[in-house]
Amino acid sequence: MTIMRLKMLAACAVAIVTLHHPASALEMPKGEVILTVTGPNLEHPNSKNVAVFDLEMLEKLAGRTGTMETPWTSGKVTFTGPLLRAVLEAAGAHGKSMKVRALNDYAADVPMEDAMTLDTMLATRMNGNTMSVRNKGPLFLIYPFDSTPSLFNEKYFSRSVWQIKQIEVSE
Amino acid sequence: MTTGARPGSEVIRRVSKATALLQMFAATLLLGLAIIFVLIINRYSTLQDGIRENALWSLYQLDREVRKLHEVVHIALVEGDETSDMWQSASQRYDILYSRMSILEEGKFDRKLGGDEDTGPVLAQIHAAILSLEPIFDEINKNGRTSIEALRGVDIALDPLMQETESILVYANTAVSADRAEARNALLTLQFKSGALVLLLVASVGGLIFLLRRQLRSVRAAGLTFEHMARDLNRSYLAAEAGNRAKSRFMATMGHEIRTPLNAILGTVELMQLDKSPTKIDAGLGTISRSGAALLEILNQVLDFAKSEDGKMTIDIKPTNVSEVVHAVIEMMRDRAVENRNRLSLELPGAARLPVISCDPTRLKQVLLNLVSNAVKFTADGTVEVKVSERLQLGGSRLRFEVTDTGIGIDPEGIEKLYRPFSQVDASIGREYGGTGLGLAISKDIVERLGGTVGVTSRKGEGSTFWFELPAVAVEAHQIATAGAEERPLPSLRVLLVEDNRVNQQVAVGLLTHLGQVVDVANDGREAVCAAGARDYDVILMDMQMPGMDGIEAAEHIRALEGPRSKVPIIALTANASEEDRARCLAAGMNGFQSKPVSMQKLRELIFSLDLPDTLPVVQVVKEASAPPVESEENQKCDFDLRREEMVAALGEDGFADLVESFFVDAASITRELYHNVESPDRTSTDRLLHTLKGAAASIGLCKLADTCQQRRNVILTRDAVNELETLIDDCRRRIAA
Ligand SMILES: Nc1ncnc2c1ncn2[C@@H]1O[C@H](COP(=O)(O)OP(=O)(O)OP(=O)(O)O)[C@@H](O)[C@H]1O
Ligand SMILES: [Mg+2]
């Protein structure tokens, strides 16, 4: 009887622990941290309630490559990087919108749909090369101007934040 | 019609021209609008270029990053901070500034930013200044730090850089704002222009709609006109065709109608050539003459019809003695009726009720003749009855003539065809009975011209009644007289005038003599009876009131004579016969009345009526009796000038003067006697005197005097009254002398 109860308790404890540390828990970054994702109830935080990423972690996520013209570059350039959607999933972030913040403290509000319905990416590379801060690096939020030309307007330009350092998801 | 169509098409042409012009105008407007639209689109694309650039924002960011870098460096220098964090943040700020710089470099914006100055050189300068700092920060990146001197150099270099970025930012802001305002203005002008164009377009489309509506309306009107024209054309074509058909039918009928009597004539002539015995020739001539008459009748009818078709039929209205006309027709048809073994009967209202009306006697006879001849023609072994009656109606009485036969009759379909020219109820009628089928058409035309109506009721196999009605417009007596005079000469009769008053005698004798009558005068009843017994008279005109034997008594005596002289017509002459008087007259064997004073017309009428055996003088007399007595006669007859005219015509100026003279002599003696009667009253004598004076005065047209006398008869005579009478007589004398 008591043994049974103990066993049951142990099973419950195991279940609770499993809930707190999900199986797909985010690995720890090995290189320099270039992106921090914050938000309420992050599912996969890897450091003090936030999810941090280095370049390697980001480039492992599902991404895309698009060649397009932007107002900030001359001629056609090819951007490569993980989809914003994938980054948010990796961090286990849920919410209605997010604040995308740059190194110079410029920030733009981006609704969650932009990540979910559009193939918006966090570009890590321009023409195959990583981007330095001098060259709008390290991360650049790129809307799919190539596949959806109707996005080519100021509304999305102002959301196209570069030199991104942090994404704050909110309810 | 054609004139109606022309303006219609004219309108259409004008409107279509205007429509075409408007269309061209609208097309031009549309083109203009398209051009403006393209311009606006272009405007928008340059705006989008501007969006793409957003140079102002970049410049602002550049300025801001320069300041931030300067802040970091300056704080580090002031605080002597040489931690790796400081170096790292300084390096990052430089990197950001660098990226800002390159964005500006790469940006494809107009270096003038819409203004007049070229910011290119200044930007190049700024670029160069930023690049000049690169080695220092490259070193920080490499070694994690650099010397404080180098950092101070950066601080010093950033000061002018700050000023430059600020000034370029201010310039850019001004220029961009101005440019934006300008662009907005340009856009506004374009919008304004396009608005104006749209307005014009709307107006011209409105105009087009209006014109189209008008065009449509005219087209419809023109269509209607054409339809009308077509219908009219069709109608006239049908009419022409109907005319043609009628003509052919006419030719056929006429050919047949004329051939029959012609054949008879030619055949008879041939027979006469073969056998020249006098009896044959006599019989032949009879046939020829009858056939000729028939031919003439046909031709007359055709001519009549032609005239009535042309509206040229002449109607000659004159006083018409209806019974005379009816009798004449009956006489003419008697033989033919006998030929067909028909009994011909006539029903006239009491002769007294058949007035003399205003009508065309010849035409009336023609119509009646046609109806009676038809009835006789289409009846065998039967009866043909002619009936005349007077119908009182609102707006005057009408005379109705009916011809009823017991002949073949007509079925309802046949009745429909009646009264149309050349129409006989069916083709066999023509073959069997002959005739042109014109008679009823002409009759109808005549009756309608005379203001009447025609009609028929008939039953197949039983007989028909053809009738017509004419307005019975009674004729004034004097019209009858003049008309009669024109129509035929007055017969000359032997007249015995029985009259005691000398003036009346003179008047009547004068008038009768003027009318060509032979007049004997009897001064009273006794003389009259002697004269009537001694000689043959055609008529006796008998005054009623006479001294000695009066009119009634004399008439009784005459009727009591032996032999044919007792049958002489006696007409009572009376001024105002009461019913009782009339009854007495008739009881005494008189034949009628003649109102006094006599006039030329009345006498003429009287003589005419006496000449006709079947219309005894009763006609006029009774008719007049039915009118209210005295007044109406006075109204009608009492005009001295008229009377004088008549008398002068009958007696001559001298004769009239004699008459007037003897009147005044008589009047003088009568007034004397009246004065006498005032002294020693004698009602009978006074009444007689006044009566005589009245009669004589009326005779020569002194109505007022006659009136006064009449009034005095009913009151007691006074001297004053006689005085008044005398003055009145004097007045008259003066007036006549004047
Ligand atoms: N009393 C009648 N009874 C029967 N039919 C009649 C009588 N009167 C006229 N009709 C019919 O009407 C037709 C037309 O009559 P109408 O007098 O116009 O011509 P008609 O007598 O034939 O020729 P006409 O021109 O010689 O008079 C006649 O042909 C006949 O068919
Ligand atoms: Mg006839």
Side-chain angles (χ1 to χ4, degrees):
Chain A
M1 208 32 202
T2 39
I3 296 167
M4 273 290 282
R5 193 174 289 168
L6 272 173
K7 270 186 181 169
M8 275 179 68
L9 275 172
C12 284
V14 167
I16 291 164
V17 169
T18 322
L19 274 177
H20 273 272
H21 295 276
S24 56
L26 204 53
E27 56 183 297
M28 293 304 291
K30 291 175 196 100
E32 188 191 345
V33 170
I34 55 171
L35 178 68
T36 308
V37 178
T38 70
N41 318 319
L42 271 195
E43 281 175 22
H44 317 304
N46 55 2
S47 150
K48 271 216 266 166
N49 287 332
V50 301
V52 289
F53 296 86
D54 62 5
L55 186 64
E56 200 193 331
M57 285 167 76
L58 286 174
E59 291 197 322
K60 270 199 282 186
L61 295 170
R64 75 177 288 256
T65 299
T67 304
M68 61 195 83
E69 265 187 276
T70 71
W72 315 278
T73 54
S74 48
K76 290 209 167 189
V77 283
T78 308
F79 289 103
T80 315
L83 293 172
L84 178 57
R85 184 161 60 236
V87 175
L88 293 175
E89 267 163 25
H94 298 286
K96 289 214 175 80
S97 74
M98 62 200 106
K99 211 173 212 62
V100 180
R101 199 174 288 284
L103 290 171
N104 66 342
D105 288 331
Y106 173 82
D109 285 319
V110 175
M112 192 54 86
E113 299 92 73
D114 284 11
M116 295 307 159
T117 58
L118 300 171
D119 286 341
T120 317
M121 67 170 139
L122 277 175
T124 52
R125 290 168 190 272
M126 187 197 290
N127 293 331
N129 306 315
T130 54
M131 295 177 283
S132 66
V133 176
R134 294 186 194 173
N135 196 18
K136 304 174 197 80
L139 294 172
F140 197 158
L141 185 62
I142 293 293
Y143 278 86
F145 296 126
D146 52 343
S147 60
T148 318
S150 64
L151 299 175
F152 199 82
N153 61 45
E154 282 146 315
K155 181 174 158 194
Y156 293 100
F157 295 162
S158 69
R159 292 179 189 172
S160 302
V161 182
W162 66 75
Q163 292 171 336
I164 294 169
K165 68 173 181 200
Q166 190 172 333
I167 296 174
E168 299 156 14
V169 179
S170 58
E171 283 295 316
Chain B
M1 273 296 125
T2 36
T3 45
R6 214 167 289 141
S9 55
E10 184 62 38
V11 166
I12 294 174
R13 211 165 308 138
R14 241 191 0 250
V15 170
S16 7
K17 209 183 279 173
T19 313
L21 277 178
L22 258 183
Q23 273 170 352
M24 263 159 64
F25 183 54
T28 332
L29 284 180
L30 264 178
L31 196 72
L33 212 59
I35 290 170
I36 285 192
F37 190 64
V38 168
L39 282 178
I40 289 175
I41 286 179
N42 279 349
R43 271 278 147 180
Y44 266 107
S45 61
T46 51
L47 280 186
Q48 272 190 343
D49 286 350
I51 290 164
R52 205 176 291 167
E53 214 46 62
N54 211 350
L56 193 59
W57 175 247
S58 302
L59 283 171
Y60 163 71
Q61 291 284 346
L62 181 68
D63 180 56
R64 200 166 153 237
E65 289 310 323
V66 169
R67 272 162 211 285
K68 276 191 175 171
L69 179 59
H70 179 254
E71 191 185 272
V72 170
V73 170
H74 200 72
I75 288 173
L77 283 175
V78 170
E79 290 181 357
D81 181 1
E82 284 188 51
T83 59
S84 67
D85 267 5
M86 186 281 286
W87 293 115
Q88 215 179 332
S89 86
S91 155
Q92 197 182 52
R93 292 257 73 100
Y94 178 77
D95 284 355
I96 293 171
L97 174 61
Y98 188 96
S99 77
R100 284 290 158 198
M101 184 62 238
S102 40
I103 280 172
L104 266 177
E105 275 295 270
E106 286 161 14
K108 294 162 282 190
F109 65 95
D110 170 18
R111 302 288 148 183
K112 291 188 175 174
L113 289 160
D116 312 316
E117 263 174 60
D118 188 0
T119 56
V122 187
L123 275 178
Q125 233 172 320
I126 293 169
H127 192 205
I130 292 172
L131 278 189
S132 71
L133 300 175
E134 197 179 10
I136 300 168
F137 288 99
D138 278 350
E139 198 189 329
I140 295 173
N141 273 355
K142 215 158 105 204
N143 307 332
R145 53 166 296 127
T146 186
S147 63
I148 289 295
E149 273 67 48
L151 203 58
R152 187 156 290 127
V154 170
D155 189 26
I156 291 163
L158 281 177
D159 269 337
L161 197 59
M162 257 158 46
Q163 272 167 27
E164 271 164 8
T165 54
E166 178 162 8
S167 74
I168 203 172
L169 181 61
V170 169
Y171 165 75
N173 187 38
T174 335
V176 165
S177 306
D179 191 43
R180 202 179 294 141
E182 225 166 78
R184 206 184 300 125
N185 275 346
L187 209 64
L188 223 64
T189 340
L190 277 180
Q191 275 171 355
F192 201 72
K193 279 182 190 159
S194 64
L197 276 182
V198 164
L199 269 182
L200 277 175
L201 208 63
V202 165
S204 66
V205 167
L208 271 176
I209 288 171
F210 173 74
L211 284 178
L212 274 178
R213 279 185 62 113
R214 256 184 67 183
Q215 210 167 350
L216 259 178
R217 216 173 323 140
S218 328
V219 165
R220 194 176 316 137
L224 276 181
T225 323
F226 285 137
E227 214 170 280
H228 272 302
M229 273 161 73
R231 214 178 302 142
D232 283 356
L233 220 72
N234 200 27
R235 208 177 298 142
S236 29
Y237 171 73
L238 285 182
E241 223 196 31
N244 252 343
R245 265 205 306 273
K247 211 179 282 172
S248 336
R249 207 171 42 214
F250 172 71
M251 298 304 267
T253 323
M254 287 313 292
H256 176 77
E257 277 302 295
I258 292 174
R259 199 166 53 201
T260 315
L262 266 184
N263 275 341
I265 291 172
L266 294 176
T268 313
V269 169
E270 218 168 293
L271 280 177
M272 282 161 73
Q273 278 166 345
L274 289 178
D275 184 350
K276 295 202 169 74
S277 68
T279 43
K280 285 282 174 191
I281 288 189
D282 265 1
L285 282 178
T287 311
I288 290 173
S289 128
R290 266 198 309 281
S291 303
L295 264 179
L296 190 64
E297 199 182 309
I298 290 170
L299 290 180
N300 277 339
Q301 194 148 1
V302 169
L303 285 177
D304 247 357
F305 175 70
K307 276 192 208 159
S308 97
E309 281 277 275
D310 282 359
K312 284 197 190 119
M313 171 165 335
T314 48
I315 297 285
D316 187 8
I317 299 288
K318 50 177 119 166
T320 305
N321 189 319
V322 175
S323 80
E324 212 179 295
V325 172
V326 176
H327 277 106
V329 168
I330 297 287
E331 273 326 303
M332 287 169 76
M333 293 310 300
R334 189 142 299 181
D335 288 349
R336 280 208 230 167
V338 170
E339 267 172 40
N340 274 2
R341 296 170 309 283
N342 287 326
R343 202 167 64 78
L344 186 56
S345 75
L346 167 64
E347 190 187 328
L348 277 174
R353 299 205 47 80
L354 251 196
V356 174
I357 61 166
S358 206
C359 191
D360 183 332
T362 326
R363 295 296 180 191
L364 177 59
K365 193 190 259 170
Q366 191 180 350
V367 174
L368 261 181
L369 208 55
N370 181 44
L371 294 192
V372 178
S373 79
N374 278 350
V376 169
K377 183 160 73 174
F378 296 110
T379 309
D381 299 313
T383 342
V384 172
E385 189 185 8
V386 179
K387 187 175 158 194
V388 184
S389 55
E390 191 178 8
R391 284 155 51 97
L392 282 172
Q393 272 189 347
L394 220 69
S397 67
R398 292 168 83 82
L399 275 188
R400 184 182 173 95
F401 299 80
E402 285 179 357
V403 181
T404 306
D405 63 48
T406 55
I408 58 170
I410 312 162
D411 52 15
E413 293 94 79
I415 288 181
E416 300 267 296
K417 291 191 217 157
L418 292 177
Y419 297 109
R420 297 207 205 124
F422 304 116
S423 84
Q424 292 180 321
V425 165
D426 62 63
S428 64
I429 295 278
R431 265 177 270 128
E432 210 176 324
Y433 300 93
T436 57
L438 286 176
L440 284 180
I442 296 174
S443 301
K444 180 169 188 259
D445 195 41
I446 291 174
V447 170
E448 282 172 0
R449 270 160 197 272
L450 289 173
T453 44
V454 296
V456 59
T457 53
S458 182
R459 217 176 247 264
K460 183 96 183 155
E462 290 180 19
S464 326
T465 299
F466 280 79
W467 58 263
F468 63 94
E469 281 184 8
L470 293 177
V473 184
V475 181
E476 299 281 311
H478 64 92
Q479 274 180 308
I480 299 174
T482 33
E486 279 160 22
E487 224 171 300
R488 57 199 166 108
L490 262 187
S492 184
L493 306 180
R494 290 191 68 89
V495 181
L496 176 63
L497 176 72
V498 189
E499 170 67 69
D500 61 327
N501 185 288
R502 206 150 55 90
V503 176
N504 289 355
Q505 266 179 21
Q506 258 174 294
V507 170
V509 170
L511 292 173
L512 284 168
T513 316
H514 183 70
L515 290 172
Q517 309 304 310
V518 182
V519 192
D520 286 345
V521 180
N523 289 306
D524 58 34
R526 225 171 298 280
E527 281 182 30
V529 177
C530 289
R535 300 187 63 176
D536 284 328
Y537 288 105
D538 294 314
V539 66
I540 297 174
L541 301 180
M542 180 82 77
D543 189 15
M544 295 290 282
Q545 286 195 10
M546 282 178 296
M549 188 188 284
D550 70 5
I552 304 267
E553 214 181 328
E556 279 167 351
H557 276 91
I558 292 168
R559 288 286 179 252
L561 288 174
E562 304 263 299
R565 284 179 184 164
S566 64
K567 302 274 185 298
V568 60
I570 305 174
I571 305 294
L573 289 178
T574 166
N576 50 335
S578 64
E579 273 307 316
E580 193 190 333
D581 282 345
R582 286 167 193 271
R584 276 174 58 218
C585 286
L586 294 177
M590 294 192 178
N591 301 81
F593 311 88
Q594 176 61 63
S595 63
K596 282 213 301 188
V598 291
S599 68
M600 192 101 81
Q601 294 96 331
K602 284 182 194 168
L603 289 175
R604 202 197 298 264
E605 268 171 56
L606 189 67
I607 290 155
F608 267 129
S609 63
L610 286 166
D611 192 36
L612 285 171
D614 51 350
T615 50
L616 278 173
V618 188
V619 176
Q620 281 82 12
V621 177
V622 172
K623 187 178 141 230
E624 277 173 351
S626 67
V630 194
E631 292 125 287
S632 81
E633 277 174 31
E634 284 179 356
N635 286 347
Q636 277 178 16
K637 295 295 154 217
C638 245
D639 182 57
F640 178 74
D641 291 329
L642 263 185
R643 191 70 179 155
R644 173 199 214 136
E645 222 172 87
E646 198 176 56
M647 293 296 181
V648 170
L651 313 173
E653 285 285 356
D654 291 346
F656 183 63
D658 282 355
L659 185 66
V660 171
E661 186 49 41
S662 54
F663 168 75
F664 285 114
V665 172
D666 278 9
S669 77
I670 287 175
T671 30
R672 252 195 320 278
E673 277 181 64
L674 283 174
Y675 276 127
H676 176 79
N677 275 2
V678 173
E679 318 275 273
S680 49
D682 176 351
R683 281 300 294 269
T684 340
S685 153
T686 306
D687 190 62
R688 197 179 49 77
L689 287 171
L690 283 171
H691 173 74
T692 311
L693 185 57
K694 177 211 146 195
S699 250
I700 62 167
L702 297 172
C703 335
K704 199 171 165 216
L705 186 56
D707 276 359
T708 319
C709 294
Q710 181 65 24
Q711 284 158 14
R712 293 285 173 270
R713 284 174 77 181
N714 303 326
V715 293
I716 308 272
L717 192 71
T718 60
R719 179 166 287 275
D720 282 351
V722 182
N723 264 336
E724 201 187 310
L725 218 54
E726 208 175 9
T727 339
L728 207 57
I729 293 167
D730 282 348
D731 277 356
C732 291
R733 196 208 303 273
R734 264 199 301 281
R735 219 177 65 217
I736 292 168

